[in-house]
Amino acid sequence: MLACVAILAVLVIVAAPPMRQWVHQQRLSHAAQAVWIDLQHARSEAQQNGRNVHIRFGDSAAGSCYVVHVGQGLGCQCQATGPAQCQPGAEALKLVQWPRGAGLPGVRANIGSLLFSGRFGTAAMTTTIQVQQEGLGEVRHIVAITGRARSCATGQAAPRLPRCT
């Protein structure tokens, strides 16, 4: 019985680091996929309902977030904790928050707010959204002015995606 426990302990010690790496990769992959789905949903919502849809990003010491909303461009804002705060005339459709911590992904963008036109489904400007995790790299979603997005990865973030150049 003691020999079995000893063998099991050795196996756990050997397997723990690769398992931890795999768990972190899965967290980053799921976070990047969620951002991708929200980008597609925001563009689709704009085209189907003929109204502008905004994605506003937030980043602080507590974590990162974004809120998908309709109404004024800066009508809603998010924080890493708590509900989205919207001005009259703006409505939050979705709030996503990531607390900062070891082994947890975060999101940031090169602009504060992304607009999808309700008339054409185009984006107001080219945007790069980075879903990153320390030690693994990042997945980048690049939204073109046409509203279409493409993705690439750095480091060990997402082996199935093309490498960012």
Side-chain angles (χ1 to χ4, degrees):
M1 178 74 107
L2 244 75
C4 288
V5 171
I7 291 171
L8 185 60
V10 169
L11 288 175
V12 168
I13 290 171
V14 170
M19 183 61 107
R20 187 176 308 118
Q21 176 85 2
W22 180 81
V23 167
H24 289 182
Q25 279 182 322
Q26 291 303 307
R27 282 185 190 151
L28 179 60
S29 176
H30 289 294
Q33 187 176 19
V35 172
W36 174 264
I37 289 168
D38 289 341
L39 284 169
Q40 300 306 313
H41 182 259
R43 182 175 185 224
S44 174
E45 178 76 21
Q47 289 176 309
Q48 287 180 352
N49 295 321
R51 60 184 180 172
N52 292 345
V53 176
H54 305 268
I55 302 176
R56 185 150 183 212
F57 300 92
D59 193 22
S60 69
S64 55
C65 62
Y66 63 86
V67 59
V68 180
H69 68 93
V70 294
Q72 301 171 351
L74 301 176
C76 291
Q77 64 182 3
C78 67
Q79 296 177 357
T81 59
Q85 298 171 347
C86 296
Q87 298 174 357
E91 175 189 356
L93 302 176
K94 184 172 186 179
L95 171 66
V96 179
Q97 300 165 313
W98 286 286
R100 203 163 311 286
L104 298 176
V107 66
R108 69 175 211 220
N110 66 336
I111 61 172
S113 182
L114 171 62
L115 163 70
F116 286 105
S117 166
R119 189 168 181 189
F120 302 111
T122 56
M125 62 187 344
T126 301
T127 306
T128 300
I129 302 162
Q130 300 165 313
V131 183
Q132 55 197 7
Q133 188 163 329
E134 191 174 318
L136 285 180
E138 64 186 31
V139 174
R140 295 180 192 156
H141 300 303
I142 298 107
V143 181
I145 203 151
T146 60
R148 295 181 184 228
R150 65 179 176 86
S151 300
C152 63
T154 65
Q156 302 169 353
R160 295 183 181 159
L161 288 177
R163 297 282 142 225
C164 297
T165 56

